């Protein structure tokens, strides 16, 4: 039997003629609308994108200049603020050591719960002056039982560790942290330290941070730097490391050195509990409860200090799915918070005009909104369209010089990965689509604006342990390709 084709029904000439007619019609329509409609719209889009590019360029150059002066001439944190080690007194004992609460929020953390609990329980601090609080919101009963057993094991070794659960997940992480502070033993504490389930602080963490808060009452937050145990696991983690190293090396350092303000990273930080209460406590109105608290505390006049030399081990998302969920939360939340707080920032009476400008323009508008939008709209949409419309020209400085300088400045935080810069550019442009979508969801308060999906952690350091079986890889689906 002959194979069925359209040629058996319609002559080849007719098919070819129909296709040619459609092509001609499309070309005629394109020529008719290009000059009066497409060209003006595209030129307007180019101007807007160039303005946003200049905003981002000026911000990057400004931070580059500031960080250069800080590294060359800036004073170390111990010189800018009073710092003296806390010592045990032979007569008074440990009374000079303040009461510290360490909170470890977790949700179904099967792979990493032992890492964080073990590291926190090994912190060097008098055992009668510290409480370890494991806030377990897990929905898997087997994991809850394992976490509770681990807490009981450390309790038998003399650690003041408390295992806390809730009947619901109201407020997600913010709700768990807020409820944890209501416990009777928590009210005895002066400071609270927060570590996510994949973070592993060094034993001297408290002895390096708490003295700053004890001797400087104007300080409300001490933030440490993240380092990544699985940065070399794959190309995805290497590229993430490049972006996050710039954030910690430049953005956090510049904010701390110039305005004593930066966004709290949600973990590896120490808060003065009185400052949290004065700022209104934890709120779950956005997916960035950490940034929300930091902005409100900053508007109360509190100062923050970033310690770049104090590093805490953590884990990067090693799957694209987990990374996308994380980036959606980190892009949607700040935009939504900006919408909710811009009036409060403008009308605030306790901070200077320059700090308001820094908060609105630099911290929120350029870094959290413009940076995402221009990456997608200019490099992924407008620039390719100009190839189809040669009447629209983009100046060379906007296509080559500004993007090149911005890219090089972003790469200074991770010199060892400079050879991956080309892949990082492609990666960031692809992710800009997801970040832009999330940014507009936050600004317009779309239906999934407060969606919270916990970043999956695989326990990256465990792959080095002998005798540990590698997890079975699932079949790579066509959609993921």
């Amino acid at each position: 039997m002959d194979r069925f084709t359209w040629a058996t029904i319609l002559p080849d000439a007719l098919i070819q003629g129909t296709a040619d007619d459609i092509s001609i019609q499309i070309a005629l329509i394109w020529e008719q609308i290009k000059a009066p409609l497409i060209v003006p719209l595209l030129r307007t889009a180019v101007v807007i994108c160039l303005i946003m590019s200049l905003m981002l360029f000026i911000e990057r150059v400004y931070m580059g200049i500031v960080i250069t002066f800080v590294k060359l001439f800036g004073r170390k944190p111990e010189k800018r603020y009073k710092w003296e080690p806390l010592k045990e007194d032979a007569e008074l004992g440990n009374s000079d050591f303040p009461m510290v609460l360490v909170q470890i929020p977790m949700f179904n953390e099967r792979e990493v719960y032992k890492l964080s609990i073990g590291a926190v329980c090994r912190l060097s601090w008098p055992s009668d002056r510290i409480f370890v609080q494991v806030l377990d919101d897990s929905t898997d009963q087997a994991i809850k039982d394992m976490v509770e057993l681990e807490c009981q094991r450390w309790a038998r070794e003399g650690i003041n560790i408390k295992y806390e659960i809730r009947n619901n997940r109201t407020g997600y992480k913010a709700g768990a942290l807020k409820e944890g502070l209501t416990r009777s033993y928590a009210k005895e504490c002066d400071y609270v330290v927060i570590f996510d389930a994949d973070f592993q602080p060094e034993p001297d963490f408290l002895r390096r941070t708490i003295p700053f808060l004890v001797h400087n009452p104007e300080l409300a937050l001490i933030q440490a730097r993240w380092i990544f145990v699985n940065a070399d696991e794959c190309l995805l983690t290497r590229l993430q490391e490049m972006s996050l190293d710039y954030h910690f090396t430049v953005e956090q350092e510049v904010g701390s050195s110039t305005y004593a303000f930066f966004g709290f990273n949600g973990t590896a930080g120490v808060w003065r509990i009185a400052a949290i209460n004065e700022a209104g406590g934890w709120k779950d109105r956005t997916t960035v409860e950490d940034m929300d608290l930091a902005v409100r505390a900053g508007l109360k006049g509190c100062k923050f200090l970033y310690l770049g030399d104090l590093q805490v081990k953590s884990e990067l998302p090693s799957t694209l799915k987990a990374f996308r969920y994380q980036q959606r939360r980190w892009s949607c939340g700040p935009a939504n918070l900006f919408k909710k707080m811009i009036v409060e920032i403008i009308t605030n009476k306790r901070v200077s005009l320059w700090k308001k400008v820094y908060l609105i323009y630099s911290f929120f508008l350029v870094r959290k909104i413009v940076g995402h939008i221009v990456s997608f709209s200019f490099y992924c949409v407008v620039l390719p369209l100009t190839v189809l419309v040669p009447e629209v020209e983009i100046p060379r400085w906007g296509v080559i010089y500004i993007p090149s300088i911005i890219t090089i400045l972003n790469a200074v935080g991770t010199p060892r990965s400079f050879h991956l810069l080309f892949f990082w550019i492609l990666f960031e442009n692809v992710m800009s689509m997801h970040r832009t979508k999330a940014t507009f969801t936050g600004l317009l308060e779309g239906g999934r604006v407060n969606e919270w999906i916990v970043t999956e952690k695989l326990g990256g350091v465990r792959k080095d342990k002998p005798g540990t079986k590698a997890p079975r890889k699932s079949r790579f689906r066509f959609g993921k390709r």
Side-chain angles (χ1 to χ4, degrees):
M1 184 176 178
D2 295 336
R3 190 176 180 182
F4 174 81
T5 63
W6 282 108
T8 61
I9 299 176
L10 300 175
D12 291 342
L14 180 59
I15 295 175
Q16 183 64 40
T18 303
D20 291 342
D21 289 343
I22 294 175
S23 301
I24 293 172
Q25 290 177 6
I26 293 175
L28 289 174
I29 294 173
W30 172 256
E31 290 299 326
Q32 288 176 356
I33 67 172
K34 185 169 70 170
L37 180 63
I38 302 299
V39 171
L41 286 177
L42 195 54
R43 282 175 177 163
T44 303
V46 167
V47 171
I48 294 173
C49 288
L50 288 176
I51 292 173
M52 290 193 292
S53 295
L54 281 172
M55 293 169 64
L56 191 62
F57 171 74
I58 294 170
E59 172 72 9
R60 290 291 188 268
V61 171
Y62 160 74
M63 287 195 293
I65 294 172
V66 172
I67 197 63
T68 300
F69 274 90
V70 168
K71 295 297 183 182
L72 293 177
F73 309 109
R75 294 185 300 166
K76 293 184 176 181
E78 294 81 0
K79 301 294 184 180
R80 289 157 47 203
Y81 295 96
K82 183 180 179 181
W83 188 92
E84 293 178 0
L86 300 177
K87 299 179 181 179
E88 298 181 10
D89 190 279
E91 298 180 355
L92 300 177
N94 299 323
S95 59
D96 283 346
F97 286 78
M99 293 293 295
V100 176
L101 174 69
V102 183
Q103 293 182 314
I104 312 176
M106 56 178 59
F107 176 76
N108 294 336
E109 309 287 0
R110 180 189 295 271
E111 302 295 340
V112 296
Y113 72 94
K114 286 187 177 181
L115 300 177
S116 56
I117 294 176
V120 167
C121 290
R122 295 186 187 96
L123 288 172
S124 175
W125 202 255
S127 59
D128 60 333
R129 310 297 291 175
I130 184 174
F131 288 100
V132 177
Q133 187 182 67
V134 178
L135 304 167
D136 191 5
D137 273 358
S138 299
T139 54
D140 188 322
Q141 187 59 47
I143 297 177
K144 293 175 74 171
D145 293 340
M146 290 189 293
V147 175
E148 186 174 11
L149 285 173
E150 183 70 7
C151 293
Q152 292 173 355
R153 185 176 76 84
W154 283 102
R156 289 193 295 271
E157 296 188 17
I159 303 297
N160 285 329
I161 186 168
K162 308 291 183 180
Y163 177 71
E164 303 286 357
I165 59 175
R166 300 189 294 165
N167 295 326
N168 55 67
R169 291 187 65 210
T170 302
Y172 302 109
K173 181 180 176 180
L177 296 173
K178 183 177 182 179
E179 187 165 324
L181 290 177
T182 63
R183 298 293 187 262
S184 58
Y185 58 87
K187 295 180 179 178
E188 302 174 15
C189 300
D190 304 299
Y191 308 105
V192 59
V193 192
I194 302 168
F195 293 111
D196 283 351
D198 59 312
F199 278 70
Q200 306 167 60
E202 295 297 326
D204 64 346
F205 181 90
L206 295 179
R207 293 184 180 270
R208 294 179 63 180
T209 55
I210 297 295
F212 281 109
L213 294 169
V214 170
H215 300 303
N216 304 275
E218 71 275 17
L219 287 176
L221 167 66
I222 308 296
Q223 174 71 57
R225 176 175 177 167
W226 303 357
I227 56 174
F228 312 105
V229 296
N230 65 331
D232 294 326
E233 182 174 337
C234 59
L235 183 60
L236 175 63
T237 54
R238 287 290 294 271
L239 299 177
Q240 290 178 66
E241 182 192 35
M242 293 177 68
S243 297
L244 287 171
D245 278 353
Y246 176 82
H247 168 70
F248 284 106
T249 304
V250 179
E251 291 180 345
Q252 297 294 74
E253 191 72 70
V254 168
S256 176
S257 302
T258 54
Y259 297 96
F261 173 84
F262 48 82
F264 174 44
N265 293 120
T267 178
V270 188
W271 276 95
R272 189 185 302 274
I273 294 180
I276 294 179
N277 295 332
E278 184 185 2
W282 293 101
K283 293 185 178 181
D284 59 357
R285 56 183 175 174
T286 69
T287 57
V288 284
E289 73 294 324
D290 42 16
M291 186 182 296
D292 189 346
L293 176 61
V295 173
R296 285 184 282 114
L299 293 177
K300 294 291 183 181
C302 296
K303 293 185 177 181
F304 305 158
L305 177 62
Y306 170 70
L307 300 179
D309 294 333
L310 180 59
Q311 301 178 340
V312 181
K313 297 176 183 176
S314 63
E315 180 182 334
L316 290 164
S318 55
T319 65
L320 184 60
K321 179 181 177 182
F323 179 67
R324 281 183 58 186
Y325 281 136
Q326 181 196 69
Q327 291 301 298
R328 185 191 182 281
R329 193 171 73 244
W330 288 3
S331 302
C332 178
N336 189 229
L337 181 64
F338 176 64
K339 179 180 180 180
K340 293 179 184 295
M341 293 205 66
I342 183 170
V343 175
E344 184 178 346
I345 296 172
I346 294 173
T347 58
N348 183 272
K349 304 294 185 183
R350 299 187 62 172
V351 298
S352 66
L353 175 63
W354 286 114
K355 190 168 185 177
K356 291 182 184 181
V357 172
Y358 171 75
L359 269 172
I360 295 174
Y361 177 79
S362 180
F363 183 77
F364 275 116
L365 186 61
V366 176
R367 297 185 205 170
K368 312 301 183 187
I369 298 176
V370 168
H372 299 324
I373 295 175
V374 73
S375 297
F376 175 66
S377 61
F378 190 31
Y379 303 115
C380 301
V381 179
V382 173
L383 200 57
L385 283 178
T386 58
V387 177
L388 303 176
V389 187
E391 293 88 346
V392 179
E393 296 183 356
I394 303 178
R396 185 176 297 178
W397 57 265
V399 180
I400 301 175
Y401 302 139
I402 284 183
S404 299
I405 294 173
I406 291 175
T407 302
I408 293 172
L409 290 175
N410 271 286
V412 297
T414 317
R416 77 185 188 99
S417 298
F418 197 83
H419 63 288
L420 299 175
L421 206 55
F422 175 73
F423 298 101
W424 180 82
I425 294 170
L426 299 179
F427 176 72
E428 286 295 304
N429 281 340
V430 170
M431 290 307 302
S432 68
M433 178 180 67
H434 304 292
R435 291 171 180 150
T436 300
K437 179 182 176 182
T439 299
F440 279 113
T441 300
L443 289 173
L444 304 176
E445 297 196 324
R448 297 170 56 197
V449 65
N450 287 323
E451 182 183 49
W452 180 285
I453 298 177
V454 176
T455 304
E456 181 186 15
K457 306 172 187 73
L458 303 178
V461 294
R462 293 195 173 190
K463 64 179 183 294
D464 298 325
K465 291 186 177 182
T468 302
K469 292 183 179 180
R472 186 178 180 181
K473 292 185 178 180
S474 60
R475 184 169 294 179
F476 202 45
R477 295 183 178 178
F478 179 76
K480 291 184 179 181
R481 293 181 184 272

